[in-house]
Amino acid sequence: MTSPRPYRGRFAPSPTGRLHAGSLAAALASWLDARAMGGTWLLRIEDIDPPRDIPGAGESFIEDLARFGMVPDEPVIWQHDRLEAYAEALDRLAAAGEVYGCACSRTEILAEDARLGLPKGVYPGTCRTGTKGRPVRSMRFRVRPGIVTFTDRRLGAFSQDVEHEVGDFVLRRADGLWAYQLAVVVDDIASGITHIVRGADLVDNTPRQILLTEALGGAVPSYLHIPLVLNREGTKLSKQAGATPVDSTDPMPALEAVFSHLGFPRIGAASPQDFLAAALPLWAERIAR
Ligand code: GLU
């Protein structure tokens, strides 16, 4: 989708570990895309999950990215500063009848899925019409029926029947923490994000985020999901699973490696600044808006 609004992109890591090749690829792709389109590039640290977040990891991202030559155009956004905005968004959705309290535990949901023959983890809608006196644990978004489709700039048309493949999804968790889906959408709207460039592991989340964006009256951004960087076992690099961090003190090998992963030739530059200057026209030429 072409957006008439001025290009605003972002890199939005969760500080659950150090920057690894997969997150560096997402940072680089989002940075190059924003620069190639003459846009603004933001950095948002998604630190809303204290049990998983690692103290100091957000600061280390900012420092590491600077060593790779990528500095955000505006002050870094920290999600821990944004909790009121999430509460306000939930209130607005509640006032519009788009959310409801849910009393179900994960075990109960799985048992109900098995009983009804639903795919594992799909919310069966048990509390849609009330919790029948059971205490509310989480708040869920009421998913509208119908297929959600969007056109990814790399993957093309992507459709999901969110109602049947996911079900009504959680916005505020049973432990009181905000769900990633709500925080990411509220912040992308507040920052005026027009283009999202991120890893392909998040493509399944996009239809949910489109539904939420629409419910909150935001403009749906354009999406580009880049190929995942896999480890030798063929699984996605994960900060939590302790993927080897990239060495930001010797930035060139990692920059060249992730650029090659994105399908580009070796640049052979001496510094991150020279590398980025040389990578920019290649990205601009190859990646259509
Ligand atoms: N915080 C998410 C992650 O690190 C990415 C969010 C996004 O790009 O939408 O996986």
Side-chain angles (χ1 to χ4, degrees), residues 10-16 23 44 46 79 180 184 188 196-199 201-202 209 236 239:
R10 80 328 186 254
F11 172 52
S14 304
T16 52
S23 38
R44 182 172 72 230
E46 304 213 310
Q79 288 195 324
Y180 154 68
V184 80
D188 283 337
I196 292 180
V197 179
R198 61 185 179 187
D201 54 324
L202 293 165
Q209 294 171 11
K236 168 182 132 58
K239 292 191 276 281

Side-chain angles (χ1 to χ4, degrees), residues 13-247:
S14 304
T16 52
R18 296 292 302 267
L19 194 69
H20 57 60
S23 38
L24 181 63
L28 179 63
S30 63
W31 188 94
L32 286 171
D33 204 54
R35 285 287 173 275
M37 310 256 197
T40 302
W41 184 73
L42 306 183
L43 174 60
R44 182 172 72 230
I45 307 294
E46 304 213 310
D47 58 340
I48 39 156
D49 197 345
R52 287 173 52 191
D53 296 342
I54 293 178
E59 288 80 359
S60 81
F61 282 140
I62 300 170
E63 286 161 24
D64 284 345
L65 289 167
R67 292 205 187 100
F68 286 110
M70 292 178 269
V71 176
D73 297 315
E74 294 179 8
V76 175
I77 298 155
W78 293 80
Q79 288 195 324
H80 71 246
D81 289 335
R82 303 270 310 140
L83 305 183
E84 272 174 35
Y86 310 143
E88 191 267 334
L90 187 80
D91 285 350
R92 253 188 320 130
L93 293 170
E98 310 242 33
V99 295
Y100 62 88
C102 172
C104 301
S105 67
R106 173 129 183 102
T107 315
E108 287 166 338
I109 294 168
L110 293 177
E112 191 65 356
D113 285 344
R115 195 180 71 80
L116 298 169
L118 294 176
K120 209 173 151 188
V122 168
Y123 185 64
T126 317
C127 296
R128 264 202 157 199
T129 53
T131 63
K132 303 192 176 65
R134 299 193 299 154
V136 168
R137 296 165 51 90
S138 59
M139 298 299 288
R140 287 184 186 271
F141 181 71
R142 203 182 285 279
V143 171
R144 64 158 165 78
I147 310 282
V148 179
T149 301
F150 71 98
T151 304
D152 183 89
R153 288 165 55 201
R154 182 176 73 92
L155 303 169
F158 185 93
S159 299
Q160 192 179 61
D161 180 343
V162 183
E163 185 194 22
H164 293 111
E165 291 176 45
V166 180
D168 296 339
F169 55 90
V170 169
L171 300 184
R172 200 183 65 213
R173 298 169 11 180
D175 57 10
L177 297 175
W178 296 104
Y180 154 68
Q181 307 294 351
L182 181 74
V184 80
V185 168
V186 168
D187 285 343
D188 283 337
I189 295 174
S191 296
I193 298 300
T194 57
H195 291 72
I196 292 180
V197 179
R198 61 185 179 187
D201 54 324
L202 293 165
V203 72
D204 278 354
N205 292 256
T206 302
R208 266 172 278 177
Q209 294 171 11
I210 290 174
L211 289 176
L212 263 184
T213 304
E214 289 171 350
L216 288 166
V220 175
S222 129
Y223 293 95
L224 168 59
H225 289 91
I226 62 165
L228 288 184
V229 179
L230 305 177
N231 63 18
R232 271 191 219 99
E233 289 76 47
T235 50
K236 168 182 132 58
L237 295 188
S238 149
K239 292 191 276 281
Q240 280 170 286
T244 315
V246 283
D247 182 2

Side-chain angles (χ1 to χ4, degrees), residues 230-268:
L230 305 177
N231 63 18
R232 271 191 219 99
E233 289 76 47
T235 50
K236 168 182 132 58
L237 295 188
S238 149
K239 292 191 276 281
Q240 280 170 286
T244 315
V246 283
D247 182 2
S248 63
T249 61
D250 179 21
M252 297 320 300
L255 277 177
E256 291 282 7
V258 300
F259 199 49
S260 134
H261 167 75
L262 292 169
F264 291 89
R266 191 184 144 71
I267 302 254

